[in-house]
Amino acid sequence: MKFFIDTASIEEIKEIDSWGILSGVTTNPSLIAKEGRVFEDVVKEISEIVDGPISAEVTASECDEIVKQARLLAKISDNIVVKIPITIEGLKAIKILSKENIKVNATLIFSVNQAILAARAGAKYVSPFIGRLDDIGYDGMILIQELSSVFKNYNIDTEIIAASIRNTEHIHKCLLTGADIATIPYKVFVQMIKHPLTDSGIERFLSDFKDVKSKGGF
Ligand code: G3P
Protein backbone atom coordinates (compact mmCIF):
# COMPACT_ATOMS: atom_id res chain seq x y z
CA MET A 1 0.00 0.00 0.00
CA LYS A 2 1.32 3.42 -0.95
CA PHE A 3 0.99 6.49 1.27
CA PHE A 4 -0.42 9.78 0.02
CA ILE A 5 -0.93 12.83 2.21
CA ASP A 6 -4.40 14.39 2.30
CA THR A 7 -3.64 18.10 2.63
CA ALA A 8 -2.94 21.30 0.72
CA SER A 9 -0.44 22.58 3.29
CA ILE A 10 3.03 22.98 1.75
CA GLU A 11 4.63 22.74 5.19
CA GLU A 12 2.93 19.40 5.96
CA ILE A 13 3.77 18.00 2.51
CA LYS A 14 7.45 18.97 2.85
CA GLU A 15 7.66 17.42 6.32
CA ILE A 16 6.11 14.06 5.33
CA ASP A 17 8.09 14.02 2.06
CA SER A 18 11.28 14.30 4.15
CA TRP A 19 10.35 10.98 5.87
CA GLY A 20 10.94 9.14 2.58
CA ILE A 21 7.55 7.42 2.50
CA LEU A 22 5.40 9.79 0.43
CA SER A 23 4.08 8.65 -2.96
CA GLY A 24 1.47 11.31 -3.73
CA VAL A 25 -0.89 14.03 -2.51
CA THR A 26 -4.65 14.45 -2.51
CA THR A 27 -6.43 17.75 -1.99
CA ASN A 28 -10.07 18.78 -2.02
CA PRO A 29 -11.82 22.18 -2.17
CA SER A 30 -12.09 22.37 1.65
CA LEU A 31 -8.37 21.67 2.13
CA ILE A 32 -7.43 24.22 -0.56
CA ALA A 33 -9.71 26.86 1.03
CA LYS A 34 -7.89 26.46 4.38
CA GLU A 35 -4.65 27.68 2.76
CA GLY A 36 -6.18 31.05 1.71
CA ARG A 37 -4.23 31.11 -1.58
CA VAL A 38 -4.95 30.93 -5.33
CA PHE A 39 -5.95 27.33 -6.17
CA GLU A 40 -3.65 26.91 -9.20
CA ASP A 41 -0.65 28.34 -7.31
CA VAL A 42 -1.05 25.81 -4.50
CA VAL A 43 -1.44 22.90 -6.92
CA LYS A 44 1.59 24.00 -8.95
CA GLU A 45 3.75 24.33 -5.85
CA ILE A 46 2.72 20.88 -4.60
CA SER A 47 3.45 19.32 -7.99
CA GLU A 48 6.97 20.74 -7.85
CA ILE A 49 7.65 19.14 -4.44
CA VAL A 50 6.25 15.63 -4.96
CA ASP A 51 6.92 13.50 -8.07
CA GLY A 52 3.92 11.21 -7.61
CA PRO A 53 0.25 11.83 -8.45
CA ILE A 54 -1.28 15.06 -7.12
CA SER A 55 -5.10 15.08 -7.02
CA ALA A 56 -6.76 18.46 -7.64
CA GLU A 57 -10.55 18.59 -7.58
CA VAL A 58 -12.93 20.24 -10.06
CA THR A 59 -15.76 22.37 -8.68
CA ALA A 60 -18.02 22.35 -11.76
CA SER A 61 -21.09 20.11 -11.90
CA GLU A 62 -21.96 19.94 -15.63
CA CYS A 63 -19.95 17.64 -17.89
CA ASP A 64 -18.72 20.39 -20.26
CA GLU A 65 -17.55 22.58 -17.39
CA ILE A 66 -15.94 19.64 -15.56
CA VAL A 67 -14.02 18.74 -18.72
CA LYS A 68 -12.93 22.35 -19.24
CA GLN A 69 -11.66 22.69 -15.65
CA ALA A 70 -10.01 19.27 -15.79
CA ARG A 71 -8.06 20.13 -18.93
CA LEU A 72 -6.79 23.34 -17.31
CA LEU A 73 -5.77 21.50 -14.14
CA ALA A 74 -4.02 18.76 -16.14
CA LYS A 75 -1.96 21.43 -17.92
CA ILE A 76 -0.43 22.61 -14.62
CA SER A 77 1.90 19.60 -14.47
CA ASP A 78 2.30 16.04 -15.80
CA ASN A 79 1.61 14.53 -12.39
CA ILE A 80 -1.80 16.17 -11.88
CA VAL A 81 -4.73 13.80 -11.40
CA VAL A 82 -8.14 15.40 -11.76
CA LYS A 83 -10.50 14.62 -8.91
CA ILE A 84 -14.15 14.41 -9.98
CA PRO A 85 -17.13 13.75 -7.68
CA ILE A 86 -19.10 10.66 -8.72
CA THR A 87 -22.29 11.89 -10.45
CA ILE A 88 -23.83 11.18 -13.86
CA GLU A 89 -22.20 14.33 -15.26
CA GLY A 90 -18.97 13.26 -13.60
CA LEU A 91 -19.11 9.86 -15.31
CA LYS A 92 -19.60 11.50 -18.72
CA ALA A 93 -16.58 13.68 -18.03
CA ILE A 94 -14.48 10.69 -16.89
CA LYS A 95 -15.24 8.97 -20.19
CA ILE A 96 -14.06 11.99 -22.23
CA LEU A 97 -11.00 12.73 -20.09
CA SER A 98 -9.75 9.14 -19.90
CA LYS A 99 -9.76 9.02 -23.72
CA GLU A 100 -7.46 12.08 -23.62
CA ASN A 101 -5.18 10.26 -21.15
CA ILE A 102 -6.04 12.69 -18.38
CA LYS A 103 -5.96 10.68 -15.16
CA VAL A 104 -9.09 10.86 -13.01
CA ASN A 105 -9.63 10.17 -9.32
CA ALA A 106 -13.38 9.60 -8.80
CA THR A 107 -14.17 10.99 -5.38
CA LEU A 108 -16.95 10.98 -2.77
CA ILE A 109 -17.38 7.23 -3.31
CA PHE A 110 -19.68 5.63 -0.73
CA SER A 111 -20.71 2.38 -2.45
CA VAL A 112 -19.34 -0.47 -4.56
CA ASN A 113 -21.82 0.47 -7.30
CA GLN A 114 -20.47 4.01 -7.56
CA ALA A 115 -16.90 2.70 -7.66
CA ILE A 116 -17.52 0.12 -10.38
CA LEU A 117 -19.23 2.73 -12.59
CA ALA A 118 -16.29 5.13 -12.17
CA ALA A 119 -13.82 2.34 -12.94
CA ARG A 120 -15.71 1.22 -16.06
CA ALA A 121 -15.92 4.84 -17.31
CA GLY A 122 -12.12 5.00 -17.15
CA ALA A 123 -11.14 6.39 -13.72
CA LYS A 124 -7.55 5.62 -12.77
CA TYR A 125 -8.40 5.89 -9.06
CA VAL A 126 -11.50 5.72 -6.86
CA SER A 127 -11.63 7.36 -3.45
CA PRO A 128 -13.99 5.65 -0.96
CA PHE A 129 -14.48 7.83 2.15
CA ILE A 130 -14.11 5.62 5.22
CA GLY A 131 -14.47 8.19 8.02
CA ARG A 132 -17.59 9.82 6.62
CA LEU A 133 -19.30 6.40 6.43
CA ASP A 134 -18.29 5.71 10.05
CA ASP A 135 -19.75 9.13 10.95
CA ILE A 136 -23.23 8.04 9.84
CA GLY A 137 -23.10 4.69 11.61
CA TYR A 138 -21.75 2.42 8.86
CA ASP A 139 -18.43 0.59 8.91
CA GLY A 140 -16.36 2.34 6.24
CA MET A 141 -13.82 -0.48 6.23
CA ILE A 142 -16.41 -2.90 4.83
CA LEU A 143 -16.54 -0.77 1.68
CA ILE A 144 -12.75 -1.05 1.28
CA GLN A 145 -12.90 -4.84 1.78
CA GLU A 146 -15.74 -5.27 -0.72
CA LEU A 147 -14.13 -3.00 -3.30
CA SER A 148 -10.81 -4.84 -3.05
CA SER A 149 -12.45 -8.18 -3.74
CA VAL A 150 -14.75 -6.88 -6.50
CA PHE A 151 -11.84 -5.22 -8.34
CA LYS A 152 -9.78 -8.41 -7.94
CA ASN A 153 -12.66 -10.66 -9.14
CA TYR A 154 -13.12 -8.65 -12.33
CA ASN A 155 -9.44 -7.81 -12.97
CA ILE A 156 -10.08 -4.09 -12.70
CA ASP A 157 -6.86 -2.13 -12.49
CA THR A 158 -8.40 1.09 -11.12
CA GLU A 159 -6.58 1.79 -7.85
CA ILE A 160 -8.39 2.16 -4.54
CA ILE A 161 -7.41 5.24 -2.54
CA ALA A 162 -8.78 4.81 0.99
CA ALA A 163 -9.76 8.38 1.92
CA SER A 164 -11.33 10.21 4.85
CA ILE A 165 -8.95 8.40 7.18
CA ARG A 166 -9.35 9.53 10.77
CA ASN A 167 -7.09 7.27 12.83
CA THR A 168 -4.25 4.73 12.81
CA GLU A 169 -6.68 1.81 13.11
CA HIS A 170 -8.12 2.76 9.71
CA ILE A 171 -4.63 2.44 8.22
CA HIS A 172 -3.91 -0.86 9.96
CA LYS A 173 -7.16 -2.30 8.55
CA CYS A 174 -6.52 -0.85 5.06
CA LEU A 175 -3.17 -2.69 5.04
CA LEU A 176 -4.91 -5.94 5.92
CA THR A 177 -7.73 -5.55 3.39
CA GLY A 178 -5.72 -4.60 0.32
CA ALA A 179 -6.31 -0.91 -0.41
CA ASP A 180 -3.76 0.20 -3.03
CA ILE A 181 -3.24 3.61 -1.44
CA ALA A 182 -4.21 5.35 1.79
CA THR A 183 -4.42 9.13 1.75
CA ILE A 184 -3.65 10.22 5.27
CA PRO A 185 -3.93 13.54 7.14
CA TYR A 186 -0.69 14.90 8.64
CA LYS A 187 -1.70 14.31 12.25
CA VAL A 188 -2.44 10.63 11.59
CA PHE A 189 1.01 10.18 9.98
CA VAL A 190 2.50 11.50 13.23
CA GLN A 191 0.34 9.11 15.29
CA MET A 192 1.53 6.16 13.13
CA ILE A 193 5.12 6.49 14.31
CA LYS A 194 4.28 6.87 18.00
CA HIS A 195 4.27 4.08 20.57
CA PRO A 196 4.51 4.59 24.35
CA LEU A 197 6.89 1.61 24.66
CA THR A 198 9.24 3.23 22.12
CA ASP A 199 9.24 6.46 24.17
CA SER A 200 9.83 4.72 27.50
CA GLY A 201 12.43 2.43 25.84
CA ILE A 202 14.44 5.43 24.59
CA GLU A 203 14.18 7.05 28.01
CA ARG A 204 15.49 3.91 29.76
CA PHE A 205 18.38 3.42 27.28
CA LEU A 206 19.48 7.05 27.73
CA SER A 207 19.28 6.90 31.51
CA ASP A 208 21.22 3.56 31.65
CA PHE A 209 23.85 5.05 29.32
CA LYS A 210 24.49 8.14 31.51
CA ASP A 211 27.32 6.40 33.44
CA VAL A 212 28.99 5.19 30.24
CA LYS A 213 28.87 8.73 28.85
CA SER A 214 30.48 10.17 31.99
CA LYS A 215 33.56 8.00 31.25
CA GLY A 216 34.22 10.01 28.02
CA GLY A 217 33.99 9.14 24.32
CA PHE A 218 31.84 10.89 21.74
O1 G3P B 1 -9.77 14.34 0.59
C1 G3P B 1 -10.90 13.60 0.77
C2 G3P B 1 -11.11 13.02 2.16
O2 G3P B 1 -9.95 12.39 2.61
C3 G3P B 1 -11.74 13.94 3.15
O3 G3P B 1 -11.64 13.50 4.47
O4 G3P B 1 -11.82 13.85 6.91
O5 G3P B 1 -12.91 15.50 5.34
O6 G3P B 1 -13.85 13.21 5.63
P1 G3P B 1 -12.61 14.05 5.64
Side-chain angles (χ1 to χ4, degrees):
M1 187 172 82
K2 284 174 277 184
F3 296 120
F4 287 9
I5 185 167
D6 196 28
T7 187
S9 156
I10 300 297
E11 211 180 303
E12 291 180 358
I13 292 167
K14 283 187 173 162
E15 172 61 19
I16 300 301
D17 189 45
S18 76
W19 295 8
I21 47 88
L22 193 63
S23 300
V25 179
T26 54
T27 66
N28 63 37
S30 310
L31 294 170
I32 294 281
K34 267 203 223 161
E35 299 308 302
R37 297 176 55 198
V38 174
F39 178 28
E40 293 82 341
D41 293 352
V42 181
V43 172
K44 178 138 191 57
E45 196 171 343
I46 296 172
S47 70
E48 283 160 0
I49 300 167
V50 179
D51 282 340
I54 312 297
S55 287
E57 189 159 336
V58 297
T59 47
S61 49
E62 298 303 315
C63 174
D64 289 355
E65 282 304 309
I66 294 173
V67 169
K68 222 182 272 172
Q69 272 191 12
R71 286 180 183 142
L72 291 172
L73 286 170
K75 270 198 194 121
I76 295 177
S77 171
D78 286 348
N79 57 343
I80 298 298
V81 172
V82 181
K83 218 172 170 190
I84 299 179
I86 185 70
T87 60
I88 292 172
E89 292 297 301
L91 272 187
K92 294 177 188 170
I94 293 170
K95 180 191 173 192
I96 295 168
L97 294 165
S98 63
K99 292 223 160 76
E100 295 175 16
N101 288 324
I102 293 178
K103 293 192 182 88
V104 173
N105 173 1
T107 189
L108 287 165
I109 298 279
F110 294 97
S111 72
V112 172
N113 289 338
Q114 289 178 318
I116 191 85
L117 290 174
R120 289 296 188 214
K124 164 91 179 127
Y125 305 96
V126 288
S127 289
F129 278 30
I130 307 176
R132 292 193 196 184
L133 275 172
D134 290 355
D135 290 347
I136 59 161
Y138 289 86
D139 183 352
M141 285 315 306
I142 292 175
L143 177 57
I144 305 291
Q145 282 159 12
E146 290 184 351
L147 266 182
S148 304
S149 55
V150 168
F151 280 13
K152 207 176 278 166
N153 288 347
Y154 295 101
N155 290 323
I156 290 168
D157 56 11
T158 300
E159 291 184 74
I160 301 167
I161 305 182
S164 185
I165 283 182
R166 303 280 170 74
N167 52 57
T168 51
E169 201 42 32
H170 278 155
I171 297 162
H172 182 194
K173 287 183 180 154
C174 280
L175 283 161
L176 296 173
T177 54
D180 299 292
I181 297 152
T183 189
I184 304 170
Y186 177 81
K187 75 167 204 289
V188 180
F189 269 117
V190 175
Q191 288 163 358
M192 280 173 79
I193 196 90
K194 290 272 175 205
H195 197 288
L197 290 179
T198 307
D199 295 341
S200 60
I202 291 172
E203 222 170 275
R204 201 196 302 171
F205 283 151
L206 292 181
S207 119
D208 291 346
F209 199 69
K210 256 192 223 134
D211 281 351
V212 180
K213 234 181 164 188
S214 67
K215 295 185 196 324
F218 59 85

